[in-house]
Amino acid sequence: KNSRTKSEIIACTTDALAVKLYTCPANSKAHTNLLFVTNAASAASDIDIQWYRASAATSYFIIGGKNLDQGEFIQFDGGAFIVLEPGDYIQITPDNTAGGASPVIDAFCTVEEFFNPVGG
């Protein structure tokens, strides 16, 4: 079998600290077909979702500065997917705009990884 499906989940609880949700392993590519981010805190929080493209050594915004109130979420699924190459990753950065309480941004993704044989 040269592919597998897996899910990753993280909690982002420190202001302005980027947390990697998923990193594509070496010798593979991955289709990210579900990305879900929710604000579980008691206050509003801004979030950034970035895709780091290893081949360009550059991060690109998928979502930048989106304000989520308590209980709000963003969900990407179904109609399209992101193709990640080896070393690419998705990261989430919260910014608690209300101050005081720490952000509680939870995020998960589901990916299908396709393994490339070494030397192939």
Side-chain angles (χ1 to χ4, degrees), residues 44-113:
S45 187
D46 287 348
I47 62 153
D48 292 335
I49 304 172
Q50 289 184 298
W51 169 6
Y52 176 78
R53 182 60 113 175
S55 64
T58 303
S59 292
Y60 302 93
F61 283 93
I62 297 172
I63 296 285
K66 172 66 176 158
N67 187 268
L68 293 179
D69 282 333
Q70 178 185 10
E72 285 190 319
F73 63 89
I74 298 171
Q75 179 176 329
F76 298 96
D77 68 349
F81 55 86
I82 299 170
V83 177
L84 301 175
E85 302 291 338
D88 288 4
Y89 57 82
I90 303 292
Q91 68 182 14
I92 313 295
T93 307
D95 179 15
N96 185 2
T97 57
S102 294
V104 182
I105 301 297
D106 290 342
F108 68 86
C109 68
T110 299
V111 300
E112 185 172 6
E113 295 176 332

